[in-house]
């Protein structure tokens, strides 16, 4: 048998193992609210090839390829346990088992590592929490996709309604079509049908009422059976507490804004300051996509090295706020054609750092250039550190943060030498460290941070909503602090 034959046989064997993983992962998710992860990447509803690629990608960050033959025993062990709602990372189970010296079997080690999610320790499965989307643009539709995907057993977040202004004939059909197909993010994973008589979109069995209103005060959500809901405002029309309070109508309990909040509205970056949200807080903001991209790595660097000052330059995809062709715009430069120009503009991300990291005393400045790509941006974070460091030391630190720290869902790490922006479309992390571009000299470090300013940010929004709704389940093994 040739080497090629050996490689192909090995591939077919791994395909067979990955195929047998799918029903186990699906059953755990549907029946027990358990999400199986591999180095923070969900394996729920993934294909055979996707599961194998996710294992392969572990080589990029952990330095060694992870095989399904290594993770399968841990997944099989999980199916024998009385698990409660949780997220369990089989990649981390496999990695930590290798360094464990207690002589435990895989089954014994797994039971011990996830003990907080089993038996008397497991948390109760909660009643589903209603969610309403106010606005249905780029972020609104991506958040909708995520909520539908995460509906799982039906005990988590339930997208009940979308509120939009009436758009005329075929409005419902056109909005459903935009949810079904996206030029950047591809096809919706599932089926979508439209019930025009009842003004409803049915997506993977989820009945989503489309409510037409010109103003928040026109809607009584209880009339649609919606109660105690979290409303996600994707319009950005109202940014302060007074404006956002208009959403606090019958049936709505909390309001989450997908733009930087003004005044005393808390700006939340999940993974960094979401634990500061007060239980009685009814209005909060998820800050901006760029704030979510820079704050987690900034915290990681400040915690380890200290940061005296910094500057962030964002090279940002164009957005709907810009003109397709030259035309009047209230801003100085955004009226010039977005797909034809690089456009210097402002960013509030640097000033927003203070809201998310109030203990960081370093002055952070910022500027931005919009460029002719439809999605994925990069933030160049130039930091003066409180102590000197080497490039290798900083790389090792950021790699470890992406693998094992509480920020591993926010920070990803890539060492591919030929990575470009389109490679990160669909990334669920708030920020991806480009290892090859990192520069460190003495007390100066320059980080290049990719981010999908649409999808990665939408994932952060959903994480905040999960947290305030009480359906953010614990992760095992617990991240290192």
């Amino acid at each position: 048998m040739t080497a090629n034959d050996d490689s192909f046989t090995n591939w077919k064997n791994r395909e067979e193992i990955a195929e047998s993983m799918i029903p186990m992962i699906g059953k755990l998710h549907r029946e027990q609210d358990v999400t199986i992860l591999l180095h923070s990447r969900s394996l729920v509803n993934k294909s055979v090839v996707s599961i194998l690629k996710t294992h392969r990608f572990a080589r990029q960050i952990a330095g060694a390829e992870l095989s399904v033959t290594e993770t399968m025993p841990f997944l099989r062990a999980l199916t024998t346990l009385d698990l409660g709602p949780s997220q369990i990372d089989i990649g981390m189970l496999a990695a930590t088992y290798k360094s464990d010296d207690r002589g435990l079997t895989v089954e014994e080690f797994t039971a011990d590592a996830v003990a907080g999610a089993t038996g008397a320790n497991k948390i109760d499965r909660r009643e589903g929490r209603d969610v309403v989307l106010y606005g249905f643009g780029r972020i609104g539709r991506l958040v909708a996709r995520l909520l539908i995907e995460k509906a799982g057993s039906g005990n988590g977040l339930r997208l009940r309604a979308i509120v939009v202004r009436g758009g005329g004939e075929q409005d419902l059909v056109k909005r459903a079509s935009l949810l079904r197909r996206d030029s950047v993010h591809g096809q919706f994973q599932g089926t979508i049908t439209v019930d025009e008589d009842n003004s409803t979109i049915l997506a993977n069995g989820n009945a989503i009422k489309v409510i037409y209103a010109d103003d928040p005060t026109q809607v009584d959500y209880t009339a649609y059976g919606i109660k105690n809901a979290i409303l996600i405002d994707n319009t950005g029309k109202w940014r302060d507490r007074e404006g956002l309070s208009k959403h606090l109508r019958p049936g709505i309990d909390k309001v989450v804004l997908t733009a930087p909040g003004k005044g005393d509205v808390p700006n939340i970056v999940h993974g960094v300051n979401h634990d500061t949200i007060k239980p009685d807080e009814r209005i909060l903001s998820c800050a901006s996509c760029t704030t979510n991209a820079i704050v987690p790595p900034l915290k990681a660097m400040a915690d380890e090295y200290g940061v005296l000052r910094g500057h962030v330059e964002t090279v940002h995809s164009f957005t709907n706020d810009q003109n397709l062709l030259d035309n009047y715009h209230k801003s100085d430069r955004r009226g010039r054609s977005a797909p034809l120009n690089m456009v210097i503009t402002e960013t509030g991300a640097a000033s927003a750092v203070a809201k998310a990291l109030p203990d960081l005393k370093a002055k952070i400045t910022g500027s931005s250039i919009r460029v002719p790509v439809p999605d994925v941006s990069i933030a160049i974070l130039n930091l003066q550190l409180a102590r000197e460091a080497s490039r290798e030391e900083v790389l090792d630190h950021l790699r470890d943060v992406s693998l094992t720290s509480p920020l591993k869902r926010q920070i990803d790490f890539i060492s591919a030498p030929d990575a470009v922006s389109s490679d990160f479309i669909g990334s669920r992390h708030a920020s991806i460290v480009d290892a090859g571009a990192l520069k460190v000299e003495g007390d100066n470090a320059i980080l290049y941070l990719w981010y999908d300013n649409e999808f990665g940010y939408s994932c952060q929004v959903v994480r905040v909503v999960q947290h305030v709704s009480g359906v953010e389940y614990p992760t095992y093994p617990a991240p290192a602090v």
Side-chain angles (χ1 to χ4, degrees):
M1 184 177 285
T2 67
N4 284 341
D5 290 335
D6 285 341
S7 296
F8 186 66
T9 299
N10 178 263
W11 170 261
K12 300 300 287 186
N13 288 340
R14 286 186 289 142
E15 270 191 324
E16 184 178 358
I17 294 171
E19 193 172 64
S20 65
M21 284 179 153
I22 292 173
M24 297 183 197
I25 294 167
K27 187 174 182 181
L28 285 168
H29 187 58
R30 287 190 305 274
E31 297 184 4
Q32 294 173 268
D33 275 359
V34 175
T35 299
I36 298 299
L37 310 173
L38 188 86
H39 286 315
S40 300
R41 289 166 169 80
S42 173
L43 297 182
V44 176
N45 292 329
K46 294 296 188 289
S47 67
V48 168
V49 172
S50 292
I51 290 173
L52 291 174
K53 284 181 66 176
T54 305
H55 279 74
R56 169 69 174 167
F57 187 77
R59 183 175 182 176
Q60 294 274 355
I61 48 178
E65 187 169 349
L66 189 63
S67 172
V68 288
T69 59
E70 296 176 79
T71 58
M72 180 57 157
F74 297 94
L75 177 60
R76 192 179 288 116
L78 290 171
T79 64
T80 68
L81 299 174
D82 179 25
L83 291 166
S86 55
Q87 300 184 102
I88 301 177
D89 194 319
I90 57 175
M92 289 303 299
L93 284 174
T96 52
Y97 181 66
K98 288 180 181 178
S99 60
D100 189 77
D101 58 3
R102 291 175 292 171
L104 301 176
T105 65
V106 166
E107 292 75 17
E108 291 168 339
F109 177 83
T110 302
D112 179 68
V114 302
T118 60
N121 295 324
K122 68 181 183 182
I123 60 177
D124 294 331
R125 298 176 75 183
R126 300 180 175 96
E127 182 182 351
R129 187 73 176 268
D130 291 351
V131 178
V132 172
L133 295 178
Y134 197 96
F136 204 49
R138 298 297 301 154
I139 300 302
R141 292 195 296 274
L142 291 177
V143 169
R145 286 187 174 201
L146 286 163
L147 292 171
I148 294 162
E149 171 196 303
K150 294 176 181 295
S153 64
N155 292 292
L157 300 172
R158 300 181 303 189
L159 177 56
R160 296 291 308 280
I162 297 162
V163 184
V164 292
R165 288 180 175 154
E169 189 177 353
Q170 293 285 292
D171 181 274
L172 193 65
V173 172
K174 290 177 180 178
R175 293 187 190 277
S177 183
L178 285 169
L179 179 62
R180 184 181 292 113
R181 287 178 287 269
D182 189 281
S183 299
V184 173
H185 300 282
Q187 297 277 343
F188 174 80
Q189 296 301 303
T191 63
I192 293 175
T193 57
V194 175
D195 181 352
E196 290 190 84
D197 292 339
N198 293 299
S199 190
T200 300
I201 295 173
L202 290 165
N204 290 358
N206 296 268
I208 307 163
K209 187 75 174 179
V210 178
I211 302 169
Y212 294 99
D214 293 327
D215 188 85
T217 59
Q218 296 177 355
V219 188
D220 177 359
Y221 295 94
T222 59
Y224 302 96
I226 296 168
K227 59 181 181 179
N228 196 35
I230 298 172
L231 183 143
I232 305 174
D233 184 326
N234 308 290
T235 68
K237 183 176 181 179
W238 304 277
R239 300 273 187 98
D240 59 12
R241 188 172 296 276
E242 180 183 0
L244 293 168
S245 293
K246 295 180 179 181
H247 290 302
L248 294 174
R249 306 283 299 154
I252 302 299
D253 178 54
K254 295 180 186 292
V255 178
V256 174
L257 171 66
T258 64
K262 296 182 178 180
D264 66 342
V265 174
N267 280 251
I268 304 300
V269 175
H270 190 276
V272 175
N273 67 338
H274 67 275
D275 56 354
T276 65
I277 302 173
K278 298 176 182 177
D280 60 350
E281 179 59 73
R282 302 188 70 190
I283 296 175
L284 54 92
S285 155
C286 291
S288 71
C289 56
T290 302
T291 303
N292 277 265
I294 65 174
V295 166
L298 181 56
K299 174 176 169 55
M301 293 297 290
D303 287 348
E304 181 68 17
Y305 303 103
V307 171
L308 301 181
R309 71 177 308 278
H311 177 81
V312 61
E313 184 80 36
T314 68
V315 182
H316 199 290
S317 307
F318 64 77
T319 68
N320 272 333
D321 176 64
Q322 296 171 254
N323 289 335
L324 189 63
L325 293 171
D326 288 5
N327 209 344
Y328 173 80
H329 195 290
K330 63 182 180 180
S331 294
D332 290 337
R333 306 186 200 228
R334 293 194 188 188
R336 302 299 298 277
S337 173
L340 295 178
N341 294 290
M342 293 190 292
V343 179
I344 297 173
T345 187
E346 70 284 344
T347 176
S351 59
V353 168
K355 284 192 171 185
L357 288 173
D359 293 336
L360 182 69
K361 303 307 178 186
K363 179 177 176 59
I364 306 294
T365 57
S367 51
S368 181
I369 302 172
R370 297 285 180 93
V371 294
V373 294
D375 188 32
V376 180
S377 304
I378 190 167
I380 305 168
L381 188 58
N382 193 331
L383 302 175
Q384 182 185 355
L385 307 178
R387 66 177 175 88
E388 293 191 354
S390 68
R391 184 175 186 275
E392 292 71 24
E393 181 187 353
V394 174
L395 276 177
D396 287 344
H397 171 60
L398 292 172
R399 183 187 292 108
D400 288 344
V401 166
S402 74
L403 283 171
T404 63
S405 82
L407 290 171
K408 66 181 184 178
R409 296 172 73 195
Q410 282 70 44
I411 300 177
D412 202 0
F413 185 94
I414 188 165
S415 57
D418 57 350
V420 294
S421 62
S422 61
D423 296 331
F424 305 102
I425 293 174
S427 170
R428 295 178 181 240
H429 289 79
S431 184
I432 304 105
V433 176
D434 192 311
L438 176 76
K439 293 176 173 56
V440 180
E441 186 172 343
D443 65 352
N444 178 241
I446 305 175
L447 280 62
Y448 287 75
L449 307 166
W450 298 101
Y451 58 109
D452 184 330
N453 47 278
E454 293 186 336
F455 196 73
Y457 176 67
S458 296
C459 290
Q460 283 287 89
V461 171
V462 170
R463 290 172 190 137
V464 170
V465 174
Q466 287 177 316
H467 179 74
V468 298
S469 69
V471 297
E472 184 180 40
Y473 299 138
T475 300
Y476 298 96
V481 178

